[in-house]
Amino acid sequence: IDNVYRDSRADFLGKAVVGGTALLAALAEPPPASAARKSNDVPILNFDLTFEYLQASFYTVAERIGTLRKMSDANRRWANIVGAHERGHVKILKAVLGTKAVKSPFFNFRSVVEDKDQFLKTGVALEDLTVAVLAGQVDQIDKPSLVSGIFSLLTTEARHAAWARRIAGVQPIGPAIDPPKSIAAAQRMVASTNFIV
């Protein structure tokens, strides 16, 4: 972080806390008077939380079982930093949702987290999917102040995706415009992995 962003770790953590605080403050604001229909915000944020649980668990399990020790220094650094970010996203979303936060499901990644090449390929796919899903949510958020929180997650996840693609030897950027994905499409893709038990 120091080399890439010229920030100290304390500065980095301070920025993360400020970003999380902004997201918390946005959810605490009263809804606009014109909000006649039921808000989508809590279901969307709970989907995001579940997806962050998935990502955080993916990196955490790989760390715990020693897969990262089999990787090059650059790949291990990527996985450690991105894993820490995903765990941070879980904490922020749980704080935003409070008592409305869903509990983490149980995950079984099987051999995907045991093999360093499968782990990296799956990491690329998860980060790419996260970007597409967050892009698809922006116009679904009811509370305008939450949009900046979603964009903050989106830009961070986009950097994760580009970094993962570069490490995996895949072109870091895709088409000129990233096609968004709906939550339903993402749910189908995640269900096809059988990672959620």
Side-chain angles (χ1 to χ4, degrees), residues 30-111:
S34 63
R37 64 180 176 78
K38 186 174 178 176
S39 173
N40 291 318
D41 296 349
V42 170
I44 287 172
L45 292 176
N46 266 318
F47 174 81
D48 292 345
L49 176 57
T50 302
F51 205 80
E52 293 293 348
Y53 282 140
L54 170 72
Q55 289 181 294
S57 294
F58 176 73
Y59 292 103
T60 301
V61 168
E63 287 175 20
R64 287 185 181 156
I65 66 172
T67 304
L68 302 190
R69 287 192 299 271
K70 303 173 194 172
M71 301 172 79
S72 70
D73 289 344
N75 292 13
R76 186 171 43 256
R77 181 174 176 263
W78 162 77
N80 283 326
I81 290 173
V82 173
H85 284 186
E86 304 304 0
R87 289 184 290 272
H89 294 168
V90 166
K91 288 179 182 177
I92 290 168
L93 286 167
K94 283 176 74 174
V96 167
L97 286 160
T99 60
K100 296 177 183 172
V102 294
K103 293 191 183 323
S104 177
F106 179 75
F107 301 102
N108 183 352
F109 299 105
R110 296 171 307 284
S111 63

Side-chain angles (χ1 to χ4, degrees), residues 19 23 44-45 48 89 93 130-131 133-141 143-159:
L23 195 57
I44 287 172
L45 292 176
D48 292 345
H89 294 168
L93 286 167
T130 307
V131 172
V133 170
L134 289 171
Q137 293 176 355
V138 174
D139 67 342
Q140 302 297 313
I141 297 291
K143 188 176 279 189
S145 54
L146 276 176
V147 172
S148 64
I150 295 297
F151 269 119
S152 179
L153 287 174
L154 173 60
T155 59
T156 300
E157 295 290 355
R159 285 191 290 276

